[in-house]
Amino acid sequence: MSDTLPITEARAKFGTLVRRASHGRERITITDHGQPAAVLINPQELADLEDALALAQYRARQTAGTTTTTSNDDVRALLGLERG
């Protein structure tokens, strides 16, 4: 579900809107002078979107041939861990 409110109305209902976004996984768009200014979303939804973006960027780098890798041994050495 999605809702759109002007900033003046959102200010008066802020606590309720945050709870709706958090618990109901609603997206709530806040407008300023009729233009979208911000969106309230659930933190897990943001994490999911960030993960999807990171994966898309990784796949684009793979396609372009610009992906770099680091060996397990190099990572362990960088972290100061013994070889396993």
Side-chain angles (χ1 to χ4, degrees):
M1 185 174 175
S2 181
D3 203 355
T4 301
L5 296 108
I7 197 168
T8 52
E9 186 177 341
R11 185 180 295 122
K13 298 179 178 182
F14 189 69
T16 299
L17 296 175
V18 168
R19 284 187 289 281
R20 282 175 47 194
S22 176
H23 301 297
R25 293 188 64 99
E26 290 184 54
R27 290 185 188 184
I28 300 167
T29 302
I30 299 170
T31 61
D32 189 14
H33 300 289
Q35 298 299 314
V39 178
L40 295 175
I41 63 171
N42 177 288
Q44 185 58 54
E45 186 175 358
L46 175 61
D48 293 346
L49 290 169
E50 290 172 333
D51 288 347
L53 176 60
L55 181 58
Q57 290 171 333
Y58 174 75
R59 287 183 176 155
R61 286 192 308 273
Q62 276 186 314
T63 300
T66 59
T67 303
T68 58
T69 59
T70 304
S71 73
N72 188 31
D73 287 339
D74 289 344
V75 170
R76 293 182 69 74
L78 287 169
L79 295 174
L81 302 173
E82 295 180 22
R83 293 186 115 197

